[in-house]
Amino acid sequence: MVAVELIGGLGNQMFQYATARALSLHRDESLLLDSRLFDNYKLHSYCLNHFNIGAAVVKNDLSLKTPGFSKRVTDKLLQKINALTLQNKIFNTYQEKNLLFDDSLFRNGKKNIYLKGYFQSEKYFSKYEDQLRKDFEIVTPLKKETIDMLKIIEAENSVSLHIRRGDYISNPAANAVHGTCDLNYYHRAIEIIKEKIEHPVFFIFSDDIGWAKENLKLENTTYFVDFNDASTNYEDLKLMSACKNNITANSSFSWWGAWLNANKSKIVIAPSKWFNTDVLNSQDIIPESWMKI
């Protein structure tokens, strides 16, 4: 079995899932998602339930959500799991050392591997892209505003633009590590898009949409997507991925919005400086086909 510890926002959960899913496919083993940390995590909640994911999910009460699993399989999983053995006696923990891609993970021969880390690189899972696109299809019904916006996005030369602020601004520790993309970055990215795309229409996404409306003034047709919040952020992800081109923030959330964009000729622009510190090496985060500025 392959198990993975889930923590962080939606984008981080997707990276963790994608790597664990790829490893489970590589090893031809079942997959277990450990969501127990979210019971005491104030910043975010477990979000992968909105996707077409069939893996078993363990919670603090040791109950399992096992969509598509028979009772026999569920009982067998429960026999393997208890509060003391998930990370030590039964499972062999693999702790991510840094943000660089570690290809030795796929040569690890230990049984019942338990993944801890963020795994922010498509190099872990690009081989299984087709399967992951199916897994990340949203199964939760979309609200009317999202459905209406999808129609506009599909009809235009649409460009998603994501501005991440939130705790990157309010939390001094997060700001020191991540920082934010300044307006100069966005204006440069917009000019590049305008040079390459005829009549682009911009769709603005942000966890501080009020700030975006006040500070981002564009000559082109612009839609500020302001009808989703943290509880429906997967709908924003759906809208971003439906856009034909993408301008990301230094954010795993808009990273996934761009990665899931199925347009073969898409232009994706990402910040060359992913972190506000040189201590963290981000060279494997941004796919080679994306433009870094």
Side-chain angles (χ1 to χ4, degrees), residues 202-225:
F202 293 91
F203 295 79
I204 314 301
F205 301 84
S206 179
D207 54 3
D208 190 349
I209 202 71
W211 185 94
K213 289 178 178 179
E214 289 180 13
N215 291 276
L216 198 63
K217 309 293 185 182
L218 306 184
E219 297 175 355
N220 296 69
T221 302
T222 305
Y223 293 86
F224 290 90
V225 183

Side-chain angles (χ1 to χ4, degrees), residues 16-282:
Q16 291 155 353
Y17 171 82
T19 299
R21 173 68 155 140
L23 187 61
S24 73
L25 291 168
H26 173 75
R27 295 164 65 122
D28 192 24
E29 296 177 358
S30 56
L31 176 60
L32 177 70
L33 308 181
D34 181 3
S35 69
R36 295 178 301 159
L37 289 180
F38 287 105
D39 283 9
N40 299 305
Y41 191 59
K42 296 179 181 179
L43 289 177
H44 302 284
S45 58
Y46 173 72
C47 301
L48 297 183
N49 55 301
H50 298 293
F51 296 107
N52 184 36
I53 289 174
V57 184
V58 65
K59 302 173 69 176
N60 266 323
D61 60 4
L62 297 184
S63 65
L64 280 175
K65 291 183 179 179
T66 54
F69 283 64
S70 67
K71 185 179 185 302
R72 180 182 63 81
V73 173
T74 300
D75 289 345
K76 188 175 181 180
L77 288 172
L78 282 170
Q79 288 173 12
K80 286 189 172 186
I81 299 164
N82 63 53
L84 296 176
T85 61
L86 194 55
Q87 293 184 41
N88 43 47
K89 293 180 183 177
I90 288 180
F91 284 90
N92 294 289
T93 298
Y94 172 91
Q95 175 68 59
E96 181 184 43
K97 298 177 182 66
N98 53 50
L99 292 172
L100 298 176
F101 169 63
D102 179 11
D103 62 353
S104 73
L105 175 59
F106 289 82
R107 299 194 302 272
N108 190 314
K110 293 181 178 179
K111 293 184 180 297
N112 296 325
I113 191 168
Y114 182 92
L115 304 182
K116 291 170 66 73
Y118 290 97
F119 307 102
Q120 294 180 336
S121 174
E122 70 165 356
K123 293 179 180 179
Y124 285 110
F125 48 79
S126 58
K127 179 180 177 181
Y128 301 99
E129 176 178 348
D130 290 345
Q131 181 60 58
L132 286 169
R133 288 185 176 279
K134 293 177 183 177
D135 292 358
F136 286 139
E137 290 175 355
I138 294 172
V139 295
T140 302
L142 304 174
K143 63 167 71 79
K144 182 180 184 301
E145 294 95 326
T146 298
I147 294 171
D148 291 343
M149 188 65 76
L150 275 172
K151 293 176 182 177
I152 300 172
I153 285 172
E154 291 165 356
E156 303 287 355
N157 283 335
S158 47
V159 183
S160 75
L161 185 153
H162 180 232
I163 298 174
R164 170 68 188 271
R165 287 173 58 80
D167 60 330
Y168 281 16
I169 295 292
S170 62
N171 186 320
N175 182 266
V177 173
H178 297 282
T180 57
C181 298
D182 60 20
L183 284 172
N184 182 53
Y185 161 74
Y186 289 108
H187 287 306
R188 288 172 59 203
I190 289 164
E191 288 306 312
I192 291 170
I193 289 291
K194 288 166 67 174
E195 290 172 3
K196 297 177 177 293
I197 304 296
E198 186 176 359
H199 304 304
V201 175
F202 293 91
F203 295 79
I204 314 301
F205 301 84
S206 179
D207 54 3
D208 190 349
I209 202 71
W211 185 94
K213 289 178 178 179
E214 289 180 13
N215 291 276
L216 198 63
K217 309 293 185 182
L218 306 184
E219 297 175 355
N220 296 69
T221 302
T222 305
Y223 293 86
F224 290 90
V225 183
D226 58 3
F227 46 79
N228 286 312
D229 56 23
S231 67
T232 55
N233 57 0
Y234 58 91
E235 299 203 30
D236 273 354
L237 189 75
K238 173 72 173 179
L239 292 168
M240 271 194 251
S241 66
C243 290
K244 298 179 176 66
N245 306 281
N246 312 90
I247 298 172
T248 79
N250 55 333
S251 158
S252 59
F253 183 67
S254 50
W255 189 101
W256 278 105
W259 193 85
L260 289 171
N261 175 359
N263 177 17
K264 298 296 184 184
S265 59
K266 66 185 177 184
I267 297 171
V268 179
I269 299 176
S272 58
K273 190 173 179 62
W274 196 261
F275 294 107
N276 202 30
T277 172
D278 294 329
V279 174
L280 299 172
N281 190 328
S282 62

